[in-house]
Amino acid sequence: MPSLDDIDRRLLALLQTDASRTNQDLAAAAHVSPATCLRRVKRLVDEGYIERRVALLSAERLGPQLTAVVEVTLDRQGAEHLAAFQQRAVADDGVQQCYRTSAGPDFVLIVGVADMAAYNQLVERLFTQDANVRNVKSYFSVERAKFSTTISF
């Protein structure tokens, strides 16, 4: 896979802040021709640097949401047990992010649900019904001081 040059990096940085730009606007902001911009962005998509383009929704406008950071420790950490829990976690709509971790819990989940009742349902689905879940620690957000989807490179 070829390495990224300055133009690729500029395009990626610009797209991270606003992927809805027209090709003309993106080309102007990146200081390249529209044809070069179109070709470069297509290559970045084809090579997997750009996975997908999405809309970020306003949590404030859509109503209150309960956000929790959840640490999960399994009783048995064999590869098949870790894979089984991970598969169930990533399939659950309430789990927004799932990280396998080391030197601490086995998983850290970022959970977003409507309210405490919805959180309790998630707990029942993912933790209570799984005999391999040894320990769960949940930390509930009281304020989101920063949120970013930008990747530094």
Side-chain angles (χ1 to χ4, degrees):
M1 193 175 291
S3 61
L4 299 173
D5 64 13
D6 289 340
I7 294 171
D8 293 331
R9 291 179 188 282
R10 274 198 309 273
L11 288 169
L12 289 172
L14 289 163
L15 287 169
Q16 281 191 103
T17 60
D18 185 0
S20 69
R21 297 174 190 247
T22 66
N23 184 61
Q24 298 283 353
D25 291 343
L26 183 60
H31 309 292
V32 296
S33 73
T36 297
C37 181
L38 194 60
R39 187 179 73 254
R40 293 284 189 121
V41 170
K42 181 181 180 337
R43 182 180 56 79
L44 291 167
V45 170
D46 291 346
E47 293 179 0
Y49 289 101
I50 299 171
E51 289 184 16
R52 58 192 163 130
R53 298 178 195 183
V54 300
L56 297 178
L57 305 182
S58 169
E60 292 80 26
R61 297 285 307 212
L62 292 171
Q65 181 172 353
L66 181 66
T67 301
V69 177
V70 183
E71 296 178 354
V72 180
T73 303
L74 301 181
D75 196 32
R76 295 176 306 282
Q77 283 95 16
E80 68 279 1
H81 300 295
L82 293 167
F85 180 82
Q86 181 174 313
Q87 183 178 21
R88 286 190 17 261
V90 300
D92 194 287
D93 289 339
V95 177
Q96 294 177 327
Q97 298 175 49
C98 176
Y99 300 93
R100 287 264 312 270
T101 57
S102 73
D106 296 308
F107 292 91
V108 174
L109 309 177
I110 308 299
V111 171
V113 292
D115 52 26
M116 190 54 81
Y119 178 77
N120 286 333
Q121 291 169 354
L122 180 138
V123 166
E124 182 67 27
R125 285 191 307 273
L126 289 182
F127 313 139
T128 306
Q129 293 177 2
D130 187 341
N132 193 35
V133 173
R134 180 180 355 142
N135 191 36
V136 176
K137 280 182 154 178
S138 300
Y139 305 91
F140 296 97
S141 172
V142 294
E143 177 183 1
R144 181 169 80 175
K146 179 180 180 180
F147 173 79
S148 176
T149 60
T150 302
I151 296 174
S152 299
F153 51 92

